[in-house]
Amino acid sequence: MNPRVVLAWRLLAWGMALAIAVGSLLPSMPGGVVAVSDKLLHFLGYMLLALAFTAAFSRRHWLGIAARLAVFGAVIELLQWWLPGQRSAEWVDLAANLGGIATGLVVAMAVPHAWRTRLDRLLGRPEGVEP
């Protein structure tokens, strides 16, 4: 197993989590700057986050990853409720987060070996080696 590749996946996943946390807790942008639904952004962000973590860890860890990401999304929403400023906690945001996590895991389970094997080969990790 190439430890650098595993480390790269894990750094990417944790970096994405940090980016989501910071982006979710900073004051919101003025309306009109982002022409996309914030619910769609929640969904896509957490789906990509789930995909990054499933690439970074073996399948036996995926249920724990999903649970931790759900707690992460809930904590972010609670912090938005408690922090002063332009952010607001919404149950629909949490639902979008959970939907994104579930979709990311379903996508990873539908094609786990195929996409990971191709990426592993591209990135230099020996085939069949689980991080």
Side-chain angles (χ1 to χ4, degrees):
M1 170 172 26
N2 184 341
R4 290 188 321 193
V5 174
V6 173
L7 179 62
W9 274 112
R10 291 180 181 177
L11 287 174
L12 173 67
W14 286 109
M16 288 174 68
L18 180 63
I20 286 174
V22 169
S24 297
L25 297 175
L26 287 177
S28 61
M29 295 181 279
V33 172
V34 177
V36 178
S37 163
D38 75 315
K39 306 314 178 234
L40 180 61
L41 292 176
H42 279 262
F43 179 84
L44 292 174
Y46 279 82
M47 182 184 74
L48 293 173
L49 187 61
L51 286 171
F53 273 101
T54 58
F57 294 92
S58 67
R59 191 175 185 141
R60 66 189 158 130
H61 297 287
W62 290 4
L63 185 58
I65 287 168
R68 286 175 179 89
L69 289 178
V71 169
F72 174 71
V75 167
I76 294 290
E77 290 303 313
L78 285 173
L79 288 173
Q80 286 180 343
W81 182 59
W82 284 324
L83 290 176
Q86 300 174 359
R87 291 294 183 165
S88 63
E90 295 181 27
W91 288 106
V92 181
D93 287 348
L94 181 58
N97 297 348
L98 297 174
I101 293 165
T103 302
L105 261 61
V106 167
V107 168
M109 287 191 305
V111 287
H113 193 64
W115 75 274
R116 287 184 68 197
T117 300
R118 286 187 191 134
L119 283 173
D120 287 349
R121 240 184 274 131
L122 179 70
L123 297 172
R125 184 166 41 204
E127 194 170 320
V129 174
E130 289 288 329

